[in-house]
């Protein structure tokens, strides 16, 4: 199985998970900061720290 181990990796600015280079990012790999569209949209809510700015209350019993 071919897993492409030679591709460069980065850490997502929002979730902190590693992600690998993709062909569609070939021209602007240096500017890519987010692993997915979801993380890109979420950046305004978290400030890029990985934690939401609003805290959720614990579930009621």
């Amino acid at each position: 199985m071919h897993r492409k181990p030679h591709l460069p990796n980065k850490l997502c600015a929002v979730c902190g998970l590693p992600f690998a280079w993709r062909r569609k990012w070939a021209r602007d790999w240096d500017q890519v900061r987010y692993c997915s569209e979801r993380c890109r949209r979420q950046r305004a809510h978290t400030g890029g720290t990985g934690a939401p700015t609003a805290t959720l209350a614990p579930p009621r019993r």
Side-chain angles (χ1 to χ4, degrees):
M1 183 152 75
H2 191 248
R3 294 193 181 241
K4 302 179 184 180
H6 61 283
L7 297 178
N9 290 318
K10 286 188 178 185
L11 293 178
C12 178
V14 175
C15 67
L17 295 177
F19 63 97
W21 180 90
R22 294 182 186 173
R23 181 176 285 187
K24 69 179 185 176
W25 294 332
R27 281 188 248 142
D28 57 345
W29 175 244
D30 292 335
Q31 288 79 35
V32 174
R33 296 181 54 205
Y34 309 105
C35 64
S36 65
E37 193 63 27
R38 180 180 180 182
C39 280
R40 189 187 66 78
R41 286 192 307 261
Q42 195 176 17
R43 75 186 186 277
H45 300 293
T46 63
T49 61
T53 55
T55 59
L56 299 175
R60 290 188 175 185
R61 294 188 185 232

